């Protein structure tokens, strides 16, 4: 594939408009943080809800399903970049709050944020 085709694909996906990227741990080969079903339910919800709100890719939000984010408890786990904010217990209900409050509103959902005590 030449570079021009690669750039065309990048633009056609709207990736040049992405401001935030949410990664969700789900669909693992060996589920540890939650059941495979629970993780995939959250993934389907996230994907469909971002599309429904016209936020996917050209709307400024990218999403990626990842095999494992290495925390392996209280999953599904998510991380939002470039903010570097990590979340636990990402059920569809929690993801809706993350979408509305963090991705759209810019406010971290502290109740589900993973952060070390200081």
């Amino acid at each position: 594939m030449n570079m021009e085709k690669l750039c065309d694909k990048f633009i056609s996906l709207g990736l040049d408009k992405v401001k935030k990227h949410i990664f969700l741990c789900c669909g693992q080969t060996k589920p540890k943080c939650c059941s495979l079903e629970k993780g995939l339910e959250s993934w389907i919800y996230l994907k469909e809800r971002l599309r429904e709100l016209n936020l996917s890719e050209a709307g400024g939000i990218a999403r990626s399903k990842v095999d494992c984010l290495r925390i392996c408890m209280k999953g599904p786990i998510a991380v939002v970049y470039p903010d570097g904010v990590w979340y636990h217990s990402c059920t569809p209900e929690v993801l809706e709050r993350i979408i509305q409050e963090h991705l759209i509103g810019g406010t971290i959902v502290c109740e589900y944020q993973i952060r070390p005590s200081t």
Side-chain angles (χ1 to χ4, degrees), residues 2-100:
N2 67 30
M3 198 57 148
E4 186 176 326
K5 284 185 179 182
L6 179 62
C7 290
D8 288 346
K9 181 67 173 180
F10 182 82
I11 291 168
S12 75
L13 290 171
L15 296 174
D16 57 321
K17 308 278 191 281
V18 170
K19 302 289 184 238
K20 294 200 183 290
H21 196 146
I22 182 167
F23 296 84
L24 183 67
C25 180
C26 62
Q28 305 91 331
T29 308
K30 295 180 183 178
K32 292 181 184 176
C33 71
C34 67
S35 71
L36 180 63
E37 295 77 23
K38 184 175 176 182
L40 291 176
E41 175 188 20
S42 291
W43 171 249
I44 291 166
Y45 181 83
L46 177 65
K47 185 169 64 167
E48 290 177 357
R49 189 67 173 130
L50 290 176
R51 277 192 198 133
E52 191 176 281
L53 295 169
N54 295 314
L55 294 173
S56 290
E57 289 82 22
I61 311 286
R63 39 112 182 121
S64 292
K65 174 172 50 170
V66 298
D67 184 67
C68 181
L69 289 171
R70 302 181 59 204
I71 295 176
C72 302
M73 60 178 64
K74 292 190 70 122
I77 301 295
V79 59
V80 176
Y81 279 104
D83 306 345
V85 177
W86 291 73
Y87 291 107
H88 66 85
S89 306
C90 293
T91 61
E93 296 79 19
V94 173
L95 286 168
E96 183 64 28
R97 288 195 57 199
I98 293 168
I99 291 166
Q100 295 297 327

